[in-house]
Amino acid sequence: MIQVAKLLALAIHLLLSVQALRRISTRMFSVLDLLVLCHSGFFIFPILFDAFIALPDYTEYARLNAPRRDPMTYALYMTYSTAAVLIFSWAGRRWSLNKAIQHSTRKLGTVRYFLAFVALLPMLYCWLSPDIGSTISYGYLALNRLSHSLELQQHYKYMYALTYLSMLASVTLLSTQKTWGFRSAAYPFLCMLGSSYLNGKRNIVLLCLVFCLVLVWLRRSIRGSRLIAIAVLLAVVYSGYHYAYTITFRPFFANDESRASSVRLDFGRDLDISYAIYHELYDSPVLEYRGQTFLFAAVIWLPREWWPDKPYPYYRYLTSAVRGTAFNDQVWGFTSSYLGESIANAGWFGCLIGIGVLDRKSTRLNSSHANIS
C-alpha cells in the first residue's frame, strides 16, 4: 500500500513540475512555480536515489532509520509533501493567468553604488579578520566559524552573512543591466566568485550557478536545447565539485557508502521532515520548547552578548538530536527545511504554518515585482 501511495505522490510531483516548467518556458510564471520545482525536486530525488543507487543504512546516524522505516511516519510525510506541492501549484497557476513576470531593466541610480559596495563587503571585511591567512583559505569560514572564542565566532558569523548579502547584491546588479559587457558584468561576477570562495559552503556555489543560469534565461541570450545543455553541464560540474568537496573537507565520510549517505542527506528533505513527524507521533519534540527557532528568527538581530540563552538556528537542534550529542558540540549541521522546522515548533499545526508561510512569501514576491520593458 505504501508503494502505491509513493508512486501516486511521485506522479503528482512529476506532473506539477512539468506544468510549472511549461509556464516558465512561456515566461508567464510566478515565484510559486519555482517553489514547485524546488519542493518537487527535494521529494523526487530521494525516491530515485533509493531506487537506482542505494537504500542507505545510516549506521552513523542510526536515529534517522526509525522515522524512515515507520509506515505511519512515511505516509504522513507523503501526504504533507503532496498537499504542499498541490497548494503551491494551484496558487502559482492562479497568479500566472493574470500577470507575467518580465525582466526588470530599471535604472537604480545611486542605489547601484550602494549595491556595488555591499557586493564588495565580504572582501573588505576579510581584512579585519584576526587571522587573514586562515580566513582566505577555502572552506575555513564554513568549517571553523563556530570553533573559536565567542568574539571570533561573532566576527566570522558577520562575515558569513555578508557573503550571502554580497551574492544577492551582485545578482541584483546583473539583473538590472540592459546589456552585459565586460566592463558592466565583470565586477558583479567577480564579487560573486569572491563571496562563494570566502563562504566555503556548497550551497552558495549552487546558488551562484543557478542565479547565472536564470539570468541568462531571462535575457534570452541562450535558448532551447543550448540552454538545457548548459544546465546539464553545470549539473555535472557541480556534482564533481560536490564529490571533491566531500572527500577533502568531510574526511569522516571515509567510504563510498558514507559519501552516498551524505549526498542523500544534502539533497533530500524527507529525512528532516520525517524526523519531526516521528517525534510528534512517538517521542518528545525535537526542540526544547515550542516556538524556539521561530523566536530565533524574530530576534536574530539581537547580539548574543545581550541574551546568552538566545535560541539557535533549527539545524543545530536537529543535528544534536540525530547524533545524540551535546548541543554545544555541533560545529556543523544537517540541512533542514522550513516544513520540518514548522512541525518541530508548532506540532501538527505547524503543517499549516509551513505551507502558509512559504505560499505567502512567494505571493508577496510576485506582487512586489515591477513589470518594466
Side-chain angles (χ1 to χ4, degrees):
M1 187 63 183
I2 289 292
Q3 294 301 322
V4 174
K6 182 190 291 188
L7 290 175
L8 178 60
L10 180 61
I12 292 173
H13 280 80
L14 286 172
L15 175 62
L16 296 181
S17 297
V18 171
Q19 291 179 351
L21 282 171
R22 290 182 61 185
R23 286 195 293 273
I24 291 173
S25 67
T26 62
R27 297 173 65 85
M28 293 287 290
F29 73 102
S30 76
V31 176
L32 282 153
D33 289 317
L34 301 177
L35 184 58
V36 166
L37 291 178
C38 291
H39 179 78
S40 295
F42 286 130
F43 179 85
I44 294 170
F45 173 78
I47 295 178
L48 297 180
F49 186 95
D50 295 346
F52 296 104
I53 299 179
L55 186 63
D57 185 16
Y58 297 101
T59 53
E60 299 178 25
Y61 315 113
R63 299 185 183 201
L64 289 174
N65 289 321
R68 185 165 59 91
R69 294 167 179 169
D70 181 63
M72 178 61 71
T73 299
Y74 195 74
L76 289 174
Y77 159 71
M78 286 193 298
T79 303
Y80 182 31
S81 181
T82 305
V85 78
L86 285 168
I87 292 172
F88 297 153
S89 180
W90 172 78
R93 184 166 57 251
R94 181 186 59 178
W95 189 91
S96 62
L97 287 174
N98 301 305
K99 296 181 180 180
I101 292 183
Q102 298 178 3
H103 173 54
S104 173
T105 57
R106 179 170 50 188
K107 293 183 178 180
L108 296 177
T110 56
V111 178
R112 185 181 300 278
Y113 297 104
F114 173 74
L115 290 173
F117 174 71
V118 172
L120 192 62
L121 269 178
M123 282 62 78
L124 296 175
Y125 194 70
C126 178
W127 292 104
L128 300 177
S129 174
D131 187 0
I132 297 179
S134 297
T135 305
I136 61 176
S137 299
Y138 185 72
Y140 182 84
L141 188 62
L143 300 175
N144 299 282
R145 70 183 188 280
L146 301 178
S147 58
H148 295 281
S149 65
L150 187 61
E151 181 181 357
L152 277 178
Q153 285 186 35
Q154 201 66 33
H155 172 83
Y156 288 133
K157 285 179 182 177
Y158 286 146
M159 186 171 171
Y160 189 68
L162 287 175
T163 58
Y164 288 102
L165 287 177
S166 172
M167 177 69 67
L168 292 175
S170 300
V171 170
T172 303
L173 285 172
L174 286 171
S175 65
T176 54
Q177 292 176 356
K178 290 185 177 181
T179 58
W180 281 359
F182 178 80
R183 294 177 59 185
S184 60
Y187 179 82
F189 272 118
L190 288 175
C191 287
M192 290 174 70
L193 291 175
S195 297
S196 300
Y197 178 87
L198 290 175
N199 181 285
K201 286 185 72 69
R202 289 162 290 183
N203 60 15
I204 198 170
V205 175
L206 181 61
L207 282 174
C208 183
L209 294 177
V210 170
F211 280 145
C212 290
L213 189 64
V214 170
L215 289 173
V216 169
W217 172 78
L218 285 173
R219 290 181 173 275
R220 297 190 176 185
S221 304
I222 302 175
R223 305 183 188 181
S225 58
R226 290 185 178 181
L227 185 62
I228 295 174
I230 291 177
V232 172
L233 177 62
L234 290 178
V236 172
V237 169
Y238 180 78
S239 299
Y241 158 77
H242 185 279
Y243 179 80
Y245 186 100
T246 301
I247 62 176
T248 304
F249 297 106
R250 293 288 190 267
F252 38 82
F253 295 118
N255 52 55
D256 290 340
E257 182 180 354
S258 62
R259 289 169 191 154
S261 299
S262 172
V263 172
R264 178 72 163 69
L265 286 168
D266 284 340
F267 296 102
R269 298 295 177 267
D270 57 323
L271 296 174
D272 134 65
I273 299 173
S274 297
Y275 193 81
I277 292 174
Y278 184 85
H279 274 254
E280 293 298 321
L281 288 172
Y282 307 111
D283 207 338
S284 58
V286 176
L287 300 175
E288 297 170 352
Y289 55 86
R290 296 295 192 186
Q292 188 172 13
T293 59
F294 284 174
L295 179 60
F296 165 77
V299 298
I300 190 173
W301 50 269
L302 187 68
R304 196 165 295 278
E305 292 84 353
W306 297 0
W307 185 15
D309 294 328
K310 186 179 80 168
Y312 288 87
Y314 176 66
Y315 79 90
R316 296 193 65 180
Y317 298 99
L318 173 66
T319 307
S320 177
V322 170
R323 298 182 68 195
T325 57
F327 176 78
N328 290 331
D329 291 341
Q330 307 306 322
V331 295
W332 62 275
F334 295 117
T335 305
S336 61
S337 70
Y338 189 74
L339 296 178
E341 181 179 355
S342 298
I343 295 175
N345 275 279
W348 299 118
F349 185 66
C351 296
L352 298 178
I353 294 177
I355 296 174
V357 168
L358 291 177
D359 181 272
R360 179 60 180 168
K361 286 185 176 181
S362 299
T363 302
R364 289 183 64 182
L365 283 173
N366 286 334
S367 61
S368 64
H369 189 89
N371 290 333
I372 300 177
S373 58

